[in-house]
Amino acid sequence: TLKLRAVKANILGFENYSELSIQLKMAEKTEEVSCFLKDLADKTKPFYVKEIKELKAFIKQKFSKIC
């Protein structure tokens, strides 16, 4: 299977299958990239909001004793 992938890639003008695979997965329009990035931000927001709260609580706990 790996040899066939390499042959296919070479026939299509790519140096290896990885280059072919990446080419097939690349976005065709800038709107697709924008949508992907917005979707990524929407999905990760709850995690970074939680982490920021935890960091603020940690800082408050550690440094409130100093002041």
Side-chain angles (χ1 to χ4, degrees):
T1 305
L2 293 176
K3 282 188 176 187
L4 290 175
R5 286 181 177 181
V7 170
K8 178 181 178 180
N10 290 146
I11 289 171
L12 294 172
F14 295 94
E15 195 161 322
N16 54 53
Y17 182 75
S18 295
E19 288 182 3
L20 171 62
S21 178
I22 289 170
Q23 180 67 31
L24 295 173
K25 295 173 185 172
M26 290 179 62
E28 293 181 18
K29 300 176 183 176
T30 56
E31 291 85 18
E32 291 175 16
V33 175
S34 296
C35 288
F36 168 77
L37 292 174
K38 183 181 179 331
D39 185 49
L40 182 63
D42 291 343
K43 288 180 179 177
T44 58
K45 185 176 181 177
F47 299 100
Y48 70 75
V49 167
K50 180 180 181 242
E51 188 151 340
I52 288 171
K53 284 182 182 179
E54 290 172 359
L55 284 170
K56 286 180 178 179
F58 173 79
I59 290 168
K60 186 176 181 180
Q61 176 190 11
K62 288 290 183 183
F63 295 105
S64 65
K65 297 174 186 175
I66 295 172
C67 298

